[in-house]
């Protein structure tokens, strides 16, 4: 099974960015940890991060026929992007939403998730481990559907 792990804006600044909220692990360490964690689950991963909404839409479209699932943290675009929601629906690839922080306990503007409306699994507030938990849940979802 092969998953695309997509990250949105400012995730490249992990480790530097608001460490009290997002932790001290940087993006390269995230890739290393999630790659290993997924390997242990028998899941192959490929990573892509962009600060640009259209680039994320392109990556979702290009995943068609290449990946069995998408693990996505759309970051701030979670709360604004109907284009990402539509792209996930358009390709129909099973997707899991991840948020490092517990968005449910944060500002009102973070309470809506458009991308999440196209996702079968949601892992929120579990830090970097959340990506591995999401991959596991997504694999279980795919195997049972
Ligand atoms: C985030 C939460 C979003 O609200 C925020 O804009 C992010 C990161 C998270 O992983 O906790 O950039 O998706």
């Amino acid at each position: 099974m092969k998953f695309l792990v997509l990250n949105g804006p400012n995730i490249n600044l992990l480790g530097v960015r608001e460490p009290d909220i997002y932790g001290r692990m940087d993006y390269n360490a995230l890739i290393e940890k999630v790659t290993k964690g997924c390997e242990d689950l028998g899941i192959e991963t490929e990573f892509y991060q962009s600060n640009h909404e259209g680039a994320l839409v392109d990556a979702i479209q290009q995943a068609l026929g290449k990946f069995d699932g998408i693990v996505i943290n759309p970051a701030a675009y979670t709360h604004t992007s109907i284009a990402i929601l539509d792209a996930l629906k358009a390709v129909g690839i099973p997707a899991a939403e991840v948020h490092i922080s517990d968005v449910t306990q944060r500002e009102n503007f973070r309470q809506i998730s458009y991308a999440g409306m196209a996702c079968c699994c949601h892992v929120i507030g579990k830090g970097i481990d959340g990506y591995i938990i999401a991959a596991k849940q997504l694999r279980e979802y795919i195997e049972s559907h």
Side-chain angles (χ1 to χ4, degrees):
M1 205 166 285
K2 194 168 177 191
F3 289 174
L4 174 64
V5 183
L6 264 186
N7 278 290
N10 302 305
I11 300 296
N12 56 317
L13 287 186
L14 279 182
V16 173
R17 173 193 189 199
E18 300 181 272
D20 292 348
I21 297 176
Y22 299 110
R24 301 209 171 263
M25 187 178 284
D26 68 16
Y27 181 63
N28 285 332
L30 176 154
I31 291 177
E32 205 175 305
K33 183 175 181 156
V34 177
T35 301
K36 282 212 186 89
C38 286
E39 258 169 30
D40 292 345
L41 296 168
I43 300 163
E44 202 185 320
T45 45
E46 202 171 296
F47 291 78
Y48 181 72
Q49 186 276 332
S50 179
N51 295 324
H52 305 278
E53 185 177 13
L56 294 164
V57 170
D58 287 343
I60 293 166
Q61 290 186 6
Q62 286 157 13
L64 202 53
K66 251 186 99 186
F67 294 97
D68 304 298
I70 298 175
V71 173
I72 183 166
N73 181 353
Y77 290 137
T78 306
H79 319 298
T80 62
S81 180
I82 294 164
I84 291 174
L85 165 64
D86 283 350
L88 290 169
K89 284 171 129 177
V91 295
I93 301 169
E97 172 185 24
V98 180
H99 298 289
I100 297 165
S101 67
D102 185 357
V103 283
T104 67
Q105 301 302 311
R106 297 181 64 192
E107 302 93 329
N108 274 342
F109 60 80
R110 294 185 208 274
Q111 300 313 311
I112 182 130
S113 169
Y114 290 107
M117 292 174 192
C119 294
C120 58
C121 321
H122 311 266
V123 180
I124 293 166
K126 304 279 185 217
I128 305 303
D129 286 344
Y131 290 84
I132 301 165
I133 298 166
K136 189 166 185 269
Q137 287 185 7
L138 187 57
R139 189 191 62 185
E140 280 160 14
Y141 174 88
I142 292 167
E143 283 171 351
S144 64
H145 281 78

